Amino acid sequence: NMEGGIAACKCSTAMSYEETTIAEDEAKTDARSELARQLGLRVKTMVKRYKSRTIANRKRAIGSTFEEVAKQVANQYLQGSRVLASKTFQTPDGKFMVCVAVGLQPQTVKEMISSIAKQAGLTNPRDEDILYQEFKAYKAQQELEKETSETQ
């Protein structure tokens, strides 16, 4: 269950079964790159939404270092991403397709956000909750934007 976590999946083609190990490594690398991209976007959006929310509610200025801290911490946690699933299957034309999903489990995401909050000097436990909610809200926001752009 990845509710509250983050994952990415990529596939790579191999011409023969012997090449599936290479294809799996390629798929894993591509999936990690996609995970890094998603995580970067989520963290950036989380920081932006948190800033606007807290400045509006508490008139508190948050230093520009907050986003830098968030990026650095996220990159550290990205190193701990794990392969969640890997599947190899043969296509009708005789080639092999290898798909790999990598991700950060929900508990790891919570630890990452806790670390971001601590390193950014956010001492109120409520701040951590807000950050986590903003992180999780990113996907819902993306889906909503996609739907509205499709209906226009």
Side-chain angles (χ1 to χ4, degrees):
N1 182 8
M2 287 302 290
E3 178 69 30
I6 182 171
C9 181
K10 289 289 179 178
C11 300
S12 187
T13 307
M15 294 300 170
S16 66
Y17 185 77
E18 290 74 27
E19 293 177 13
T20 57
T21 304
I22 296 166
E24 183 177 18
D25 289 343
E26 286 174 359
K28 198 183 307 179
T29 299
D30 291 349
R32 282 213 164 95
S33 293
E34 176 60 17
L35 184 66
R37 190 190 69 74
Q38 283 182 33
L39 190 60
L41 283 172
R42 277 197 190 193
V43 166
K44 186 174 183 173
T45 303
M46 173 190 78
V47 168
K48 184 177 165 188
R49 289 172 56 114
Y50 175 83
K51 280 182 177 181
S52 65
R53 189 173 181 172
T54 54
I55 290 168
N57 289 347
R58 292 184 250 157
K59 303 283 183 237
R60 187 174 91 188
I62 296 169
S64 58
T65 57
F66 181 38
E67 192 169 338
E68 245 351 274
V69 166
K71 281 184 198 172
Q72 288 171 2
V73 171
N75 284 336
Q76 290 166 6
Y77 275 84
L78 192 58
Q79 302 305 314
S81 63
R82 300 274 176 259
V83 172
L84 305 172
S86 179
K87 180 133 177 87
T88 302
F89 53 94
Q90 195 163 12
T91 60
D93 61 2
K95 295 177 187 166
F96 291 85
M97 183 70 69
V98 183
C99 297
V100 178
V102 297
L104 296 174
Q105 296 291 345
Q107 186 56 42
T108 306
V109 170
K110 283 182 181 176
E111 289 167 12
M112 178 188 74
I113 289 170
S114 177
S115 183
I116 289 171
K118 283 182 183 74
Q119 291 187 40
L122 305 177
T123 55
N124 185 339
R126 176 97 179 94
D127 289 325
E128 257 181 65
D129 292 340
I130 293 169
L131 285 173
Y132 187 59
Q133 292 311 313
E134 293 297 356
F135 184 88
K136 289 190 343 183
Y138 177 80
K139 187 172 184 180
Q141 177 188 341
Q142 292 298 101
E143 287 170 4
L144 183 65
E145 286 173 7
K146 185 180 173 192
E147 271 183 37
T148 54
S149 70
E150 286 173 358
T151 56
Q152 290 175 350

